[in-house]
């Protein structure tokens, strides 16, 4: 369910260059979406992006808890093909 302002709350899974260079900045240019969480295996990247976008960050192991939290409405899945086992676990 969207937030109080009617915006879709996204979790970004994977903090690579496509997420950072396209999706995350693009969401900031919309009126109907907001990023609320980042899921990544890189703690340095997680801290940097969480601070930049004022969002919560989660490790891949915490993904099920995020899904159950009610904090997100949709997922942007941005993992490279060598991450296939992680992607399948996420889905």
């Amino acid at each position: 369910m969207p937030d109080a302002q009617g915006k879709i709350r996204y979790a970004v899974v994977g903090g690579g260059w496509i997420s950072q260079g396209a999706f995350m900045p693009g969401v900031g240019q919309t009126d109907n979406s907001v990023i609320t969480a980042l899921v990544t295996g890189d703690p340095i990247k997680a801290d940097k992006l969480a601070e930049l976008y004022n969002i919560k960050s989660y490790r891949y192991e915490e993904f099920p808890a995020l899904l159950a939290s009610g904090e997100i409405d949709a997922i942007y899945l941005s993992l490279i093909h060598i991450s296939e086992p992680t992607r399948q676990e996420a889905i």
Side-chain angles (χ1 to χ4, degrees):
M1 173 157 273
D3 71 4
Q5 291 79 36
K7 295 185 177 188
I8 302 297
R9 301 168 299 164
Y10 278 93
V12 176
V13 180
W17 67 270
I18 291 177
S19 294
Q20 290 184 52
F23 185 77
M24 295 175 86
V27 168
Q29 297 178 29
T30 69
D31 293 330
N32 65 348
S33 301
V34 64
I35 300 171
T36 57
L38 170 69
V39 182
T40 182
D42 183 335
I44 294 171
K45 191 181 296 183
D47 290 345
K48 175 186 156 202
L49 292 172
E51 183 176 335
L52 178 65
Y53 288 97
N54 193 30
I55 58 176
K56 293 181 183 179
S57 64
Y58 296 83
R59 296 183 317 271
Y60 289 121
E61 304 83 46
E62 298 171 309
F63 191 62
L66 172 61
L67 291 175
S69 72
E71 297 177 19
I72 61 171
D73 304 307
I75 298 164
Y76 178 75
L77 189 59
S78 179
L79 298 173
I80 59 175
H81 70 281
I82 62 171
S83 300
E84 190 65 31
T86 304
R87 183 182 311 153
Q88 289 178 0
E89 290 171 14
I91 295 172

